[in-house]
Amino acid sequence: MPFVIYSERNEQESAKQFAYRILRRNILLLDMVPGEPISEKEIAKKLELSRTPVREALLELCRERLVEIYPQRGTRVALMDSRLVDQGRFLRETVELALLELACRSVSKDLIEQMEENLKEQEEAAQREDIIEFFLKDNDFHRLLFTACGKESVFDAIGIFLPHFMRERMLRLNMFDTKELLVDHYQILEAIKRADCRTAKRHLSEHLDHVMCDQQLLLEGYPEYFIKEEPAQSM
């Protein structure tokens, strides 16, 4: 798949930060698919950088387990690890359920307006069949909850698992109808507007569980993208 330069280098960015940002976005949005070989030389040429900042960016992505580097053998986009996805889902659900308690207790008009605007943008992206834009707006929807409750740093702190969760969600959007996810979001927002925390939590759990419920379908549809789990050994 094509390597996409989504935006030019910012004045404040170092060469390494620019390479990291563009590479990470390509990996998360599946422009660079799991298992795909990465040529340090070609990436540097496309970004108009020397190979050193690209190498440093790849090392950073390796630490995040989004890239695998094999000395003398090459570099590739890391395969998806369903165990990391499960841990990411568990962490996100645990934290967001607690956030809903805060949001429903002191829901603000500003939060409601922002979430409603976000859902309109999600719907427009779905109608255009712009899956990437839909995915980004979907992620923004959840981030709004953290920001509104003054927990934006928490959103950043759980980022160790989120990239793996996000890649599988992106793969799922390529495979399933976005309308289902839109309905989930509308149901969550309506419950927040009513300050009905119990219902909001139920819809959020159902929304996040969709990823795990469909994981077997993803494994069957894209077996080459996932780490093959070793069968349990009998005693």
Side-chain angles (χ1 to χ4, degrees):
M1 297 180 73
F3 179 80
V4 182
I5 302 177
Y6 283 93
S7 59
E8 298 302 319
R9 180 177 171 183
N10 300 326
E11 292 182 3
Q12 299 84 3
E13 282 183 313
S14 67
K16 174 195 169 183
Q17 290 170 332
F18 174 53
Y20 170 82
R21 176 171 63 84
I22 297 298
L23 278 163
R24 192 174 191 269
R25 187 179 177 101
N26 273 268
I27 292 170
L28 294 184
L29 298 185
L30 302 185
D31 294 306
M32 299 171 69
V33 299
E36 179 180 328
I38 299 174
S39 169
E40 184 182 295
K41 181 179 179 180
E42 289 181 12
I43 296 297
K45 183 177 180 180
K46 289 177 180 178
L47 294 176
E48 299 181 349
L49 299 173
S50 69
R51 293 175 66 170
T52 298
V54 173
R55 186 180 306 118
E56 292 173 345
L58 289 171
L59 286 170
E60 187 71 25
L61 291 165
C62 184
R63 283 189 281 271
E64 293 183 35
R65 301 172 74 172
L66 291 173
V67 163
E68 295 170 346
I69 299 174
Y70 301 96
Q72 312 304 321
R73 290 166 52 196
T75 301
R76 70 172 186 174
V77 178
L79 295 174
M80 292 184 181
D81 188 334
S82 57
R83 294 166 298 180
L84 284 176
V85 173
D86 185 34
Q87 291 177 58
R89 182 209 58 79
F90 173 80
L91 180 59
R92 185 162 184 172
E93 180 176 16
T94 301
V95 173
E96 286 197 39
L97 288 177
L99 275 175
L100 285 176
E101 290 275 3
L102 296 175
C104 290
R105 202 178 302 151
S106 56
V107 61
S108 69
K109 181 180 178 181
D110 184 53
L111 172 62
I112 296 300
E113 290 177 351
Q114 288 184 65
M115 296 183 84
E116 287 177 337
E117 181 61 30
N118 174 276
L119 287 179
K120 289 179 183 177
E121 293 170 347
Q122 283 189 47
E123 193 160 359
E124 290 170 359
Q127 290 172 352
R128 296 194 307 270
E129 298 184 351
D130 186 340
I131 292 178
I132 290 179
E133 183 65 16
F134 180 89
F135 171 79
L136 294 173
K137 294 301 178 183
D138 179 342
N139 199 55
D140 287 344
F141 179 87
H142 292 271
R143 184 187 289 273
L144 279 171
L145 279 174
F146 285 81
T147 302
C149 296
K151 306 297 182 186
E152 53 267 45
S153 295
V154 177
F155 190 89
D156 296 331
I158 62 178
I160 185 173
F161 291 114
L162 289 184
H164 307 282
F165 187 41
M166 288 166 62
R167 277 208 299 170
E168 187 164 297
R169 289 178 68 212
M170 187 64 194
L171 184 60
R172 183 185 184 282
L173 289 177
N174 283 327
M175 197 173 181
F176 296 95
D177 192 346
T178 56
K179 292 179 182 177
E180 180 185 74
L181 300 182
L182 259 175
V183 169
D184 288 345
H185 286 152
Y186 274 113
Q187 290 174 330
I188 292 168
L189 179 55
E190 287 304 311
I192 291 175
K193 288 164 72 173
R194 299 193 305 270
D196 184 349
C197 189
R198 179 178 296 180
T199 301
K201 285 182 173 182
R202 176 167 58 82
H203 288 312
L204 176 65
S205 294
E206 290 171 353
H207 175 62
L208 296 177
D209 279 346
H210 282 153
V211 175
M212 300 312 299
C213 291
D214 295 326
Q215 191 168 74
Q216 188 56 40
L217 291 176
L218 295 175
L219 288 167
E220 293 172 0
Y222 301 91
E224 71 278 13
Y225 288 175
F226 288 86
I227 293 174
K228 292 180 174 60
E229 293 189 26
E230 295 293 331
Q233 295 183 351
S234 57
M235 298 297 290

